[in-house]
Amino acid sequence: MQRRQLLQRAAALGGMPLTAMAGPGSSRLRLAMIGTGLRGQVLLRELLRREDVQVVALCDIEPLMLAKALAMVEKAGKPRPRTWGENRDPEAWRAMLDASGLDGVIIATPWEWHAPMAIAAMQARTAVGCEVVAGITLQDHWEVLNTQLKTGTPYMLLENVCYRRDVLAVLQMVRAGLFGELVHLQGGYQHDLRAVKFNSGDPARPYGGGVEFGPKAWSEARWRTEHSVRRNGELYPSHGIGPCAVYANIHRGNRFTHINAFASKARGLSEYVKAQGGAQHPNAKVQFKLGDIVTTTLACENGETILLQHDTSLPRPYSLGFRVQGTKGLWMDLNRSVHVEGISPDHRWEPLQAYQDRFEHPLWKRYAKDA
């Protein structure tokens, strides 16, 4: 939505703004944030760089993280926002949404909170920017979608990989027909997160150092590891499926028709705990349900296949494993290379960089300097 339309909609809701600092007639969007942990602070840093945005409210039930976020606002020379959650009430965000004058809210909380928070915000007619994933159950996703359709409130899943420079350049190549008719796509989340899922419980060392998780731990290890204990499946699909869905024109003339998934045995997290904390550590006895590698395949109505892989519990370098393959050639991100029949040398790769400038996406042409 254009800013004017969004502000008009917000103004129509009535009531006084959360703070008067934006002033009458201000064109700045009044945004709130739920979740000011490490990921939330990354997003807050970007918001504070903008002159067309005012962060008017922050909510978090961890005092240390809330204090760090406020320090960031102060350092940026921006007005101090109102805060919620100091009393550690896990429902404090509801009171923040009840306060009038919000144009939008950024949600950067543990996964299980994404759907209820987004639904409540949309019902309050507050535009939503939600970190991935949208929910943790199929029903979560239907409820998010149905609420958006019923209320008409803008909702955006903050899937950043869709905007990666190479991903968008390849989208331009696809649309230009460089690879011919698409046949097969691959992507995934292949990222060693063992040091994220465990730590010593020291807030100064949230990533690595120790094998605690749950209440004794810090940051993502407090909540994310528990999903590996009790769930088995493709827990984090959007980094891979987001770009692939755009390439394949999903819901723009195409759709998914079939899905299946298989999980390998679970060994990586247990081995990590034993190596770091010893075989006698209590967490060495935890039975993790999440298979180390989960492979998901999808079929599309127009005949394409898509393969996703979730791989976060074994030692490996980071890679999203993208592959876009058609009747005339392909791109793979692992080797950052392209092969186009009739253009590339026979059976040889060319660097993507040779095509990058020619197929630079308009978003990168327009915003790269500011970003």
Side-chain angles (χ1 to χ4, degrees), residues 110-288:
W111 297 339
E112 53 267 31
W113 288 98
H114 290 183
M117 288 175 172
I119 290 168
M122 288 188 284
Q123 290 172 340
R125 300 302 195 271
T126 300
V128 173
C130 184
E131 266 296 344
V132 297
V133 289
I136 60 172
T137 68
L138 185 60
Q139 187 61 32
D140 281 345
H141 288 77
W142 280 119
E143 290 177 3
V144 168
L145 175 60
N146 289 333
T147 303
Q148 197 286 318
L149 293 173
K150 181 178 180 180
T151 65
T153 308
Y155 172 98
M156 182 179 184
L157 191 68
L158 301 180
E159 179 40 71
N160 54 309
V161 177
C162 288
Y163 298 92
R164 213 170 76 177
R165 189 177 185 187
D166 57 345
V167 166
L168 282 176
V170 171
L171 177 60
Q172 294 292 89
M173 297 178 197
V174 169
R175 289 175 170 170
L178 191 70
F179 304 125
E181 182 181 357
L182 290 190
V183 174
H184 178 72
L185 302 108
Q186 293 182 192
Y189 192 56
Q190 302 175 134
H191 188 182
D192 182 356
L193 294 180
R194 295 173 300 169
V196 173
K197 294 182 179 182
F198 301 100
N199 61 46
S200 63
D202 180 359
R205 301 178 65 198
Y207 292 152
V211 290
E212 298 294 348
F213 69 91
K216 295 181 180 179
W218 189 256
S219 191
E220 288 177 75
R222 278 188 176 174
W223 57 270
R224 187 169 187 164
T225 316
E226 185 61 30
H227 289 277
S228 299
V229 175
R230 59 185 175 88
R231 300 173 65 201
N232 187 19
E234 170 53 272
L235 303 188
Y236 203 65
S238 67
H239 286 340
I241 201 61
C244 288
V246 178
Y247 295 146
N249 287 325
I250 298 301
H251 298 312
R252 295 172 176 85
N254 199 2
R255 67 187 182 99
F256 301 132
T257 57
H258 297 80
I259 183 171
N260 64 40
F262 296 90
S264 75
K265 55 190 172 183
R267 295 291 185 272
L269 297 182
S270 293
E271 292 298 315
Y272 182 83
V273 173
K274 293 172 185 175
Q276 301 292 321
Q280 302 307 312
H281 193 282
N283 289 339
K285 300 177 178 62
V286 174
Q287 298 295 312
F288 294 94

